[in-house]
Amino acid sequence: MIPEGAVSYSFTLKVGEKDIDALKHVNNVVYLKWVNDISERHWKLLATPEVGKKYLWVVLRHELDYLNQATLDQEITLITWVGDSSGVKSVRHVQAFKGNTPLFKARSTWCLLDAKTLRPTRIKEDILSLLSPK
């Protein structure tokens, strides 16, 4: 679960027709899309306008553990938080649940880029302060 002191974000969605594959459950690629969606939403909520203009994130690696399946019309809760952040890299965690049933857990490594140069840039206090509870 979420480590003590981590700034987390969650939202609930409903599985739609476009999410379903030939096996009649949510396609694994959709799970990955949900990881990206919640990561972007959380960043937009955390970042001040100044920080949001100064930096961009790109993913370097996704690791997903598929634990259960979801089907049409089920409500899914996604939860995310940021873990270790140092150098130019930050690790983000995402978990999904159908009620109390875990669907997947993901660990993604992101690289911070300078928005003007598009070059990797070190994670400094202006980012780290956003990840601390207020």
Side-chain angles (χ1 to χ4, degrees), residues 8-96:
S8 64
Y9 170 70
S10 68
F11 75 92
T12 301
L13 57 84
K14 189 172 183 180
V15 176
E17 281 283 342
K18 67 185 181 330
D19 303 322
I20 302 299
D21 63 16
L23 299 175
K24 305 281 190 231
H25 59 72
V26 174
N27 188 285
N28 292 348
V29 174
V30 173
Y31 284 165
L32 182 58
K33 181 184 179 313
W34 292 349
V35 169
N36 280 330
D37 290 348
I38 193 170
S39 299
E40 290 174 4
R41 285 181 180 204
H42 192 209
W43 171 245
K44 286 177 183 174
L45 286 172
L46 287 174
T48 63
E50 178 182 290
V51 167
K53 290 177 187 173
K54 192 174 176 182
Y55 303 110
L56 301 170
W57 290 98
V58 293
V59 73
L60 299 175
R61 178 181 176 90
H62 286 300
E63 299 172 57
L64 274 85
D65 293 321
Y66 300 98
L67 306 171
N68 282 291
Q69 57 185 319
T71 57
L72 186 63
D73 292 331
Q74 291 182 322
E75 287 196 351
I76 308 302
T77 301
L78 300 168
I79 303 168
T80 189
W81 67 93
V82 178
D84 295 331
S85 298
S86 63
V88 300
K89 296 178 184 178
S90 184
V91 175
R92 176 175 287 279
H93 301 270
V94 177
Q95 293 182 351

